[in-house]
């Protein structure tokens, strides 16, 4: 064989089974010079796979190019290990047990938050400055991921951050139902102003708990709360007929080319 792909640097990503991308001419040479057997387990129509006597696995595409794995066994073991890994889940799964009843639970969650953090209840006046008191109390909880383990602490923080946003904008709570494999997840938002603008009191909070860095509730809230010159709504609801199960809207998103609106649809929570 003039050009043996095995002599080149493997093309697999780190941690994956060792393999090489193979040109069409190299596929033909491999199949002609070595003994290969069709592998029904890995073959699909127009994309046959072959296993060699030495245990290699060769995938051949419809175009004739291929992918040569150094070990069929290694590929199967890596694939099995990846399949057994926990699948990504919604950040609110297990962290907001109030579900569809979250909005009605907001007052009691804030009462409980004051008790957990040992802050006088009257200090929770939904003012922006009160978030500094909450931040100071949260610094005592180490490691900070324990915030997700203490019953109703994370829901209480979501509730209070949302109440601050609601007071600042004169908005109202609403829930969006998202269907996951484990069941529905109810995402709480604060909607304000004309056009269905909304604020998210939980996503950046969750990230600040699970990722490196300190928790800055006042920063998270200031990012969500619109400034007077901010005329770009995150969401513009296009149909607001109360009898519709779904509502269509244009969502404002940031892209590498700048801000843009995209059409979307979501289930309405009555």
């Amino acid at each position: 064989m003039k050009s043996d792909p095995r002599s080149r640097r493997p093309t697999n990503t780190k941690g994956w089974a060792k393999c090489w991308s193979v040109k069409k001419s190299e596929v033909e040479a491999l199949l002609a010079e070595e003994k290969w057997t069709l592998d029904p387990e890995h073959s699909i129509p127009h994309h046959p796979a072959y296993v060699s006597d030495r245990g290699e696995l060769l995938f051949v595409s419809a175009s004739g190019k291929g992918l040569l794995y150094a070990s069929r066994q290694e590929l199967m073991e890596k694939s099995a290990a990846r399949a057994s890994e926990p699948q990504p889940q919604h950040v609110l799964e297990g962290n907001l047990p109030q579900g569809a009843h979250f909005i009605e639970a907001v007052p009691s969650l804030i009462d409980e938050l004051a008790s957990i953090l040992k802050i006088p209840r009257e200090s929770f006046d939904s003012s922006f400055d009160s978030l500094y008191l909450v931040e100071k109390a949260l610094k005592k909880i180490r490691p900070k991921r324990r915030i997700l383990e203490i019953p109703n602490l994370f829901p209480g923080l979501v509730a209070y951050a949302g109440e601050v946003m609601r007071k600042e904008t004169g908005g109202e709570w609403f829930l969006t139902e998202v269907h996951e494999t484990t069941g529905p997840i109810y995402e709480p938002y604060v909607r304000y102003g004309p056009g269905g603008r909304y604020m998210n009191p939980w996503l950046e909070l969750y990230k600040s708990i699970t990722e490196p860095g300190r928790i800055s509730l006042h920063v998270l809230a200031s990012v969500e709360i619109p400034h007077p010159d901010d005329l770009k709504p995150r969401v513009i609801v296009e149909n607001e007929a109360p009898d519709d199960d779904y509502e269509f809207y244009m969502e404002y998103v940031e892209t590498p080319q700048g801000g843009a609106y995209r059409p979307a649809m979501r289930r309405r929570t009555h």
Side-chain angles (χ1 to χ4, degrees):
M1 188 184 306
K2 290 183 179 180
S3 176
D4 190 338
R6 305 178 190 89
S7 63
R8 298 195 297 266
R9 184 176 181 177
T11 56
N12 58 283
T13 57
K14 185 178 180 181
W16 189 239
K18 186 178 181 180
C19 65
W20 299 268
S21 296
V22 185
K23 301 176 183 177
K24 182 178 180 180
S25 59
E26 293 173 334
V27 169
E28 294 171 349
L30 284 169
L31 293 176
E33 296 182 13
E34 300 182 32
K35 187 174 180 180
W36 297 83
T37 305
L38 185 67
D39 185 350
E41 184 176 350
H42 291 94
S43 296
I44 59 176
H46 310 296
H47 294 77
Y50 302 91
V51 60
S52 71
D53 287 347
R54 65 173 82 181
E56 296 170 316
L57 183 64
L58 176 63
F59 290 97
V60 182
S61 68
S63 65
K65 297 179 181 180
L67 192 61
L68 175 64
Y69 281 89
S71 169
R72 180 182 186 275
Q73 182 64 29
E74 182 190 16
L75 175 61
M76 295 184 69
E77 290 174 355
K78 294 286 186 181
S79 298
R82 177 170 292 182
S84 65
E85 292 176 356
Q87 297 301 307
Q89 64 181 36
H90 195 289
V91 300
L92 294 181
E93 185 174 334
N95 292 320
L96 209 67
Q98 292 74 22
H101 303 287
F102 175 81
I103 295 176
E104 61 196 67
V106 165
S108 61
L109 284 172
I110 296 176
D111 290 342
E112 193 168 353
L113 179 65
S115 176
I116 294 172
L117 298 181
K118 296 180 172 56
I119 298 175
R121 180 61 179 87
E122 58 269 21
S123 297
F124 287 83
D125 57 2
S126 300
S127 66
F128 187 83
D129 288 342
S130 66
L131 294 174
Y132 290 98
L133 290 175
V134 178
E135 286 178 21
K136 184 177 180 180
L138 290 176
K139 290 179 181 179
K140 301 176 183 178
I141 301 176
R142 290 290 182 270
K144 62 179 182 176
R145 282 194 69 99
R146 285 190 58 231
I147 293 172
L148 299 176
E149 300 169 2
I150 298 174
N152 281 339
L153 178 51
F154 179 74
L157 292 171
V158 173
Y160 191 62
E163 279 296 283
V164 172
M165 296 175 186
R166 190 180 67 81
K167 181 180 179 181
E168 289 287 327
T169 60
E172 62 179 1
W173 285 99
F174 76 99
L175 295 173
T176 293
E177 182 180 350
V178 179
H179 289 277
E180 299 289 322
T181 55
T182 55
I185 298 290
Y186 294 90
E187 300 175 341
Y189 298 96
V190 175
R191 180 159 39 198
Y192 68 97
R197 306 180 186 189
Y198 74 91
M199 295 170 287
N200 185 329
W202 50 268
L203 182 56
E204 293 303 321
L205 173 61
Y206 177 86
K207 290 180 180 179
S208 70
I209 294 170
T210 58
E211 297 175 1
R214 64 190 183 93
I215 300 174
S216 297
L217 284 177
H218 71 282
V219 173
L220 301 180
S222 65
V223 169
E224 290 291 328
I225 295 172
H227 298 283
D229 59 348
D230 182 10
L231 302 178
K232 301 186 296 295
R234 289 181 174 82
V235 168
I236 298 178
V237 178
E238 290 192 331
N239 71 311
E240 296 186 311
D243 295 331
D244 288 352
D245 289 332
Y246 292 87
E247 58 186 6
F248 296 88
Y249 61 96
M250 296 295 291
E251 183 176 21
Y252 182 84
V253 295
E254 293 292 342
T255 70
Q257 293 75 36
Y261 287 92
R262 65 182 180 188
M265 180 179 72
R266 67 187 174 202
R267 185 179 182 86
R268 185 188 299 278
T269 302
H270 296 286

